[in-house]
Amino acid sequence: MIERTLFSEDHQRFRDSFRRFLEKEVVPHHDAWEDRGYVDREVWLSAGANGFLCTSMPEEFGGAAADKLYSVIVFEEVARLGVNGLGFGLHSEIVAPYILRYGSDEQKQRYLPRMAAGEVIGAIAMSEPAAGSDLQGVKTQAIDAGDHFLLNGSKTFITNGWHADVVIVVAKTDPSAGAKGTSLLLVERGMPGFEKGKRLKKVGLKAQDTSELFFDNVKVPKANLLGQLNKGFIYLMQELPWERLQIAISAMEAAQAAIDWTVAYTKERKVFGTTVASYQNTRFKLAEMQTEVQVGRVFVDRCLELLLAGKLDTATASMAKYWCSDLQCKVIDECVQLHGGYGYMWEYPVARAWADARVQRIYGGTNEIMKEVITRSMGLGGK
Ligand SMILES: Cc1cc2nc3c(=O)[nH]c(=O)nc-3n(C[C@H](O)[C@H](O)[C@H](O)COP(=O)(O)OP(=O)(O)OC[C@H]3O[C@@H](n4cnc5c(N)ncnc54)[C@H](O)[C@@H]3O)c2cc1C
């Protein structure tokens, strides 16, 4: 395998300690959390107390001012252990950065330290029942009512939605202006008229509290506007390279974990008096998978270098998101096959990984949308 050169000894120590944390405080409970559909709030507090949330935030806001590679480690270790109910990545590396980048001083002070401590859980609500890929079609409206906005509408499929204490809500503040009339609002748990819907029952990510959210004449103070009025769409576009790369990072680690489990399993499992691994079909399949994951890993690591240098563009990140999540699904499906019937049993990690993988091709912008973005960078205009 090609040695990864991105990580220092400090990163490695952080990886070891985060892995120990997951093994001790998450793995023993994750089954039960999957059964009931959400993780304990205490695990958020414990992760915060141990410095595993919002690591890249400045120290004055409770973070460690750490480089993005520490966040990469959080994504990778969660994916490797398959404890995908934890919404730490979205909280620390999507929601918090919006507040840091576009928030007022007062907003940063109000949310970021408590987000780093795990006391406040963050979510971002773009998707609606009738608007996912086409975010310009968002119907949720925030109408100017003097000292506040009057927010009406609903959102669906929101990661961390049920636990969330603060939600960045994408809403039309000038419905006649399309994308140019879209703003981001910070909506807090307990605001009258803000209701959480049911936790959605999903094919995978069963311990993740993905929810619907409803807004019925919610009075959102003007002070809760994030950034400038009607600039929301521009803000959403600016964060895309890192958000998309996060999915590719998890994809490669989850695929590698599945290969590792399958190597171990097929060396043990006996069929026709020999091991499954002794068949050339098994060994060749595993060789092909390992090759492809190695190729993907090198590409993702190069994208990470570009990200750290501030040079990762949206089209390249879209390539990583689409290609790596497709590969993750293909690899894990082959790994299930090599486990035979046991690969279909929930108690086997490969079965959960298979169920959890599928959504990687859908959220964060579907893989079809990724290809649209790539074609545009090639000068190929679509419809
Ligand atoms: C588990 C989970 C967690 C999620 N978390 C969040 C979250 O935290 N916050 C949030 O806001 N959203 C979240 N989402 C929503 C997710 O981002 C959307 O589901 C996704 O963007 C697709 O939107 P859609 O479901 O409306 O599908 P649609 O947009 O209706 O797409 C249906 C199909 O049409 C295809 N399609 C659409 N447009 C085009 C096009 N131009 N060219 C070719 N094909 C096209 C799509 O690729 C797809 O195959 C989550 C979803 C899931 C399942």
Side-chain angles (χ1 to χ4, degrees):
M1 299 294 287
I2 297 173
E3 190 193 348
R4 299 182 80 189
T5 52
L6 281 168
F7 300 100
S8 67
E9 283 182 14
D10 282 348
H11 291 124
Q12 191 53 47
R13 272 192 287 278
F14 179 81
R15 187 185 290 280
D16 293 343
S17 97
F18 185 54
R19 189 176 294 179
R20 278 197 301 277
F21 167 82
L22 293 179
E23 282 168 347
K24 183 161 164 264
E25 301 206 27
V26 176
V27 172
H29 310 291
H30 204 261
D31 252 9
W33 294 345
E34 284 181 337
D35 288 344
R36 69 177 195 195
Y38 59 97
V39 307
D40 275 347
R41 271 194 87 98
E42 286 66 34
V43 77
W44 282 89
L45 294 171
S46 182
N50 284 286
F52 298 131
L53 298 177
C54 301
T55 50
S56 64
M57 289 298 112
E59 289 176 20
E60 59 177 314
F61 300 126
D67 66 56
K68 284 266 188 278
L69 293 172
Y70 289 87
S71 311
V72 170
I73 288 167
V74 171
F75 285 110
E76 288 186 346
E77 291 305 307
V78 166
R80 168 152 287 269
L81 291 175
V83 286
N84 298 311
L86 298 174
F88 292 173
L90 177 123
H91 166 92
S92 301
E93 286 302 333
I94 295 183
V95 180
Y98 275 107
I99 298 175
L100 179 71
R101 190 155 174 186
Y102 305 112
S104 64
D105 286 345
E106 193 273 328
Q107 288 169 346
K108 289 187 230 181
Q109 287 296 352
R110 181 149 43 119
Y111 300 113
L112 293 177
R114 289 189 295 151
M115 286 180 74
E119 293 160 10
V120 162
I121 297 175
I124 181 160
M126 299 173 271
S127 304
E128 300 186 354
S133 302
D134 182 11
L135 279 183
Q136 299 198 25
V138 158
K139 294 270 188 302
T140 297
Q141 290 193 9
I143 301 306
D144 193 328
D147 64 346
H148 62 269
F149 294 101
L150 207 53
L151 180 68
N152 280 288
S154 66
K155 299 286 176 180
T156 193
F157 305 146
I158 305 308
T159 300
N160 295 343
W162 187 75
H163 268 317
D165 303 292
V166 61
V167 184
I168 298 175
V169 175
V170 177
K172 290 270 170 70
T173 33
D174 182 356
S176 61
K180 290 184 179 147
T182 304
S183 301
L184 307 183
L185 297 180
L186 292 159
V187 178
E188 294 177 22
R189 172 196 287 277
M191 284 183 170
F194 173 27
E195 299 291 338
K196 311 275 182 83
K198 56 182 183 290
R199 289 188 307 278
L200 299 164
K201 285 204 162 198
K202 306 184 293 301
V203 170
L205 304 184
K206 289 183 185 293
Q208 168 48 230
D209 54 304
T210 316
S211 294
E212 299 171 311
L213 305 176
F214 299 101
F215 311 102
D216 180 13
N217 284 321
V218 183
K219 287 183 178 175
V220 182
K222 287 271 171 79
N224 284 36
L225 175 69
L226 184 61
Q228 292 177 27
L229 191 68
N230 297 330
K231 290 274 171 61
F233 221 81
I234 297 170
Y235 298 156
L236 292 174
M237 298 298 117
Q238 279 168 358
E239 303 298 330
L240 289 178
W242 173 221
E243 292 170 11
R244 292 191 172 152
L245 190 58
Q246 292 169 15
I247 293 174
I249 290 163
S250 311
M252 287 302 85
E253 195 66 32
Q256 185 61 58
I259 291 172
D260 295 347
W261 299 325
T262 307
V263 167
Y265 181 82
T266 55
K267 279 160 78 175
E268 288 292 320
R269 176 70 175 171
K270 294 276 187 353
V271 285
F272 300 102
T274 183
T275 63
V276 174
S278 70
Y279 288 96
Q280 191 183 61
N281 176 65
T282 306
R283 290 181 291 107
F284 280 15
K285 286 273 184 226
L286 283 164
E288 287 165 12
M289 289 189 257
Q290 189 58 78
T291 305
E292 288 179 275
V293 170
Q294 175 67 88
V295 170
R297 178 82 94 185
V298 170
F299 180 51
V300 168
D301 280 0
R302 178 69 188 126
C303 287
L304 268 169
E305 284 173 348
L306 290 171
L307 180 92
L308 295 174
K311 290 183 184 161
L312 183 66
D313 61 75
T314 303
T316 309
S318 302
M319 290 175 190
K321 191 274 173 181
Y322 121 66
W323 196 82
C324 293
S325 59
D326 270 8
L327 179 61
Q328 173 188 10
C329 288
K330 186 177 92 166
V331 163
I332 298 177
D333 192 71
E334 289 284 10
C335 289
V336 166
Q337 190 69 18
L338 290 173
H339 277 72
Y342 293 99
Y344 199 66
M345 297 297 120
W346 199 250
E347 68 188 271
Y348 277 73
V350 75
R352 292 163 195 232
W354 183 76
D356 287 357
R358 187 61 184 83
V359 76
Q360 293 259 93
R361 291 159 59 192
I362 298 171
Y363 60 19
T366 66
N367 284 5
E368 291 72 32
I369 296 296
M370 297 304 104
K371 290 174 198 175
E372 280 294 334
V373 173
I374 296 162
T375 55
R376 264 178 250 141
S377 77
M378 299 164 71
L380 297 165
K383 95 175 189 55

